[in-house]
Amino acid sequence: MARTAGSHSDITGPRIREAALRLFAKHGYAAVSMRRIASEVGVQAGALYNYIPDKQALLFSLLKGHMDELLEAWEAEPHAADPLARLEAFVRFHIRFTLRRAESIFISYMELRNLEPENFAQIEALRRRYEGVLEQILRDGQAAGQLSVPDTRIAAFALIGMLTGVNTWYREGGRLSEQEVAALYWDMARKAVGAA
């Protein structure tokens, strides 16, 4: 199949991903056809297959891209030796990352169920890696006598759920700034894990 006249892979490929992300977040994966994505990008429906094999591959690409970006961004953060300082850094990082990627966060949670089993397993492994970062911080905090949680795995799930939930209500230009929200969430997270 020939590429649509005037399209360029380095431009059209990212435009397809951006359009799919927007449409999946607004209407849901099941309700969005490849034809609709093509229309949004301004190419023929058949031209999409020059860039992506099918809609499932597109969803997987979006979710994997999000998780890769999340893990890479966390790795680039400075990591303190002190567990409490690492926990604070994690909380503030997660809030900052989440607030700047509302659509990606939304589909990463809402559309996970639409992945085929092999794709789901790959995304789950990346999610477990990220959850493991927080769990290790909590274990280190327990060992150092700084934190008190009955189950570090459950506490990690609860904290990530709480932190990611900011995406459902926060609006830029609202009553609280991003920094104020991060400070409030850090205070709640600190108290939730028994830190002084």
Side-chain angles (χ1 to χ4, degrees):
M1 200 178 279
R3 183 165 282 141
T4 304
S7 73
H8 303 282
S9 62
D10 58 336
I11 297 169
T12 306
R15 286 181 57 221
I16 290 167
R17 288 172 51 84
E18 288 164 16
L21 179 63
R22 219 173 25 256
L23 290 169
F24 291 166
K26 185 173 183 180
H27 303 289
Y29 172 80
V32 176
S33 67
M34 291 293 270
R35 187 173 301 282
R36 178 120 186 235
I37 295 167
S39 174
E40 187 84 6
V41 175
V43 298
Q44 295 295 320
L48 287 184
Y49 299 101
N50 291 319
Y51 304 95
I52 196 85
D54 55 30
K55 193 168 81 159
Q56 174 66 200
L58 185 52
L59 178 62
F60 174 71
S61 171
L62 291 171
L63 297 186
K64 184 172 186 312
H66 170 73
M67 287 308 304
D68 288 344
E69 185 185 6
L70 174 65
L71 288 163
E72 190 177 300
W74 170 251
E75 286 304 315
E77 289 284 304
H79 294 201
D82 177 66
L84 199 56
R86 277 199 338 264
L87 179 59
E88 180 177 3
F90 184 94
V91 167
R92 291 180 184 275
F93 163 80
H94 193 91
I95 293 290
R96 187 173 65 249
F97 190 91
T98 297
L99 291 182
R100 295 176 187 173
R101 291 160 185 83
E103 291 173 329
S104 292
I105 296 290
F106 182 77
I107 70 160
S108 288
Y109 281 85
M110 298 308 294
E111 301 300 347
L112 192 63
R113 66 184 183 266
N114 284 308
L115 287 175
E116 292 171 357
E118 185 180 316
N119 290 338
F120 180 88
Q122 288 185 59
I123 300 304
E124 259 314 275
L126 293 171
R127 288 169 67 115
R128 278 196 302 274
R129 224 174 100 196
Y130 186 67
E131 292 158 358
V133 166
L134 180 54
E135 194 176 350
Q136 186 61 56
I137 292 170
L138 296 175
R139 278 198 300 268
D140 292 347
Q142 292 259 82
Q146 295 177 316
L147 307 176
S148 175
V149 290
D151 186 305
T152 55
R153 187 162 178 77
I154 298 300
F157 290 155
L159 286 174
I160 288 174
M162 178 183 83
L163 297 173
T164 304
V166 71
N167 191 50
T168 63
W169 64 266
Y170 179 81
R171 296 296 173 264
E172 192 174 346
R175 184 172 62 87
L176 298 171
S177 70
E178 181 183 308
Q179 293 76 19
E180 289 170 318
V181 169
L184 287 169
Y185 269 73
W186 164 235
D187 187 54
M188 290 187 287
R190 185 175 54 77
K191 289 172 180 168
V193 294

